[in-house]
Each structure stands twice: as C-alpha cells, then as structure tokens.
Amino acid sequence: MQHWRELAGEIPAPGTVTATDIAGLRFLQQRFATTLTRDSLAAGVGIRRSLFHAISDGTIHPEIGPDEVPAPLRPYLDAVAPADWLTHAAVEVEQAYQHQHGTSI
C-alpha cells in the first residue's frame, strides 16, 4: 500500500486510509474475487482483515469504486492483476497437465 501511495503522489498521515488505498483494494478484490479469500488478499497487501472487509463491503467510502484508481497506479495494478489472469492460469494448468501425462484435461 505504501508503494501505491507513492505512485499516486500521496503522503498521508500514519494510520490513515486514503482514496487510493480504497480504490486499489477494491480493484484487486474485484479481479481476484473468484480465487482468493478476502482474508488472503488482506494479508497480501498488509492491511488488517477487519478494515479490508469494511472496504470491500462498501461500508468505508462506498462512493470510491475499483474504477477510480488514480492514473499513475492503474498500470501497476493492471500488471499485478491483469484482467485476463484467469485465462492465462487455466492455459498454464492445461499445459502442465499435458506435459506430465501426455494428454489433455
């Protein structure tokens, strides 16, 4: 999250939650909702679970959505959570299976 804030040019007070934090978390939660639990995503970005739940449930700044990620941060988040990540993951699993078993799934 510190890196996100630096990319967005923010220097918030310690312990505060910024619009960048909220938009970034909602962006990642939206991309990874099918495979990651909210707890694992919260741990991955170093945020308390209860705060992450409040952000992703929309009880903190519900007006800030995943599409409102600051422009400098969007390429970074797109790189770590590409929209087609699930397709790439499925292809890799299929290729690995074929390599090990000589047949397709």
Side-chain angles (χ1 to χ4, degrees), residues 14-95:
T16 60
V17 177
T18 70
T20 294
D21 299 335
I22 294 169
L25 287 170
R26 287 185 174 156
F27 178 90
L28 292 176
Q29 195 273 338
Q30 177 181 312
R31 292 283 174 94
F32 292 134
T34 57
T35 56
L36 293 178
T37 66
R38 292 196 289 180
D39 293 349
S40 64
L41 185 54
V45 296
I47 188 170
R48 285 181 295 122
R49 181 174 39 191
S50 59
L51 178 57
F52 183 80
H53 283 255
I55 291 171
S56 59
D57 291 342
T59 55
I60 292 180
H61 295 288
E63 72 280 5
I64 300 169
D67 296 326
E68 298 177 54
V69 172
L73 187 56
R74 185 164 287 282
Y76 171 77
L77 290 177
D78 281 334
V80 297
D84 60 350
W85 68 270
L86 188 56
T87 302
H88 287 300
V91 168
E92 289 176 6
V93 168
E94 170 72 14
Q95 289 173 344

